[in-house]
Amino acid sequence: MRRPSRGQSSFAQATWKELREDPEFAKAFFEAYLRESVPLQTMLLRTLGGISQAQLANKLEVKQTHLSRLEKDGSDHVISVYEKLGKLLHAKLALIPEGAKIVFNVK
């Protein structure tokens, strides 16, 4: 996940600040993040990246309504679309084994 430089919402600004400054918050945040579905993870990465649905849909070469469906919890789509989304959002799609410990470094 890459920190945005423009277009940040107050939510994104506050979240990035807490991730940088509070290791316990960062740990809890990413533990909760990993429990969420891929569609909700996608929406959160896009939001934290300061990217609108329209902007990301344009980069994916799909309609904004299609992206909206991709971000809807319970949606079931082709993995290749999520892999492309991950690349555009500077993230990797992965299955994380239960019990694994994730270490996150915000630059």
Side-chain angles (χ1 to χ4, degrees), residues 13-26 106:
Q13 291 172 0
T15 302
W16 280 116
K17 183 178 188 292
E18 287 296 315
L19 288 171
R20 283 190 311 273
E21 297 175 1
D22 185 345
E24 288 300 314
F25 173 83
V106 178

Side-chain angles (χ1 to χ4, degrees), residues 3 13 15 23 32 38 54 56 68 75 79-80 86-87:
R3 198 174 71 189
Q13 291 172 0
T15 302
V38 171
L56 188 54
S68 177
S75 63
I79 288 295
S80 63
K87 185 175 181 180

Side-chain angles (χ1 to χ4, degrees), residues 9-106:
S9 66
S10 57
F11 165 77
Q13 291 172 0
T15 302
W16 280 116
K17 183 178 188 292
E18 287 296 315
L19 288 171
R20 283 190 311 273
E21 297 175 1
D22 185 345
E24 288 300 314
F25 173 83
K27 180 179 184 261
F29 178 90
F30 285 104
E31 285 174 353
Y33 169 82
L34 291 172
R35 287 191 298 269
E36 294 299 338
S37 65
V38 171
L40 291 179
Q41 289 177 7
T42 301
M43 182 274 304
L44 185 58
L45 285 176
R46 179 186 56 74
T47 302
L48 287 175
I51 303 168
S52 72
Q53 278 188 341
Q55 290 168 320
L56 188 54
N58 186 49
K59 289 181 180 184
L60 277 172
E61 299 177 353
V62 299
K63 292 184 178 184
Q64 182 271 328
T65 54
H66 181 72
L67 182 62
S68 177
R69 287 190 296 273
L70 289 174
E71 291 183 351
K72 184 178 181 196
D73 199 24
S75 63
D76 185 18
H77 299 277
V78 179
I79 288 295
S80 63
V81 175
Y82 285 112
E83 289 172 340
K84 190 173 179 182
L85 266 169
K87 185 175 181 180
L88 290 169
L89 294 170
H90 309 283
K92 293 189 182 262
L93 184 63
L95 297 173
I96 308 298
E98 288 185 23
K101 193 163 205 156
I102 305 295
V103 178
F104 184 75
N105 183 18
V106 178

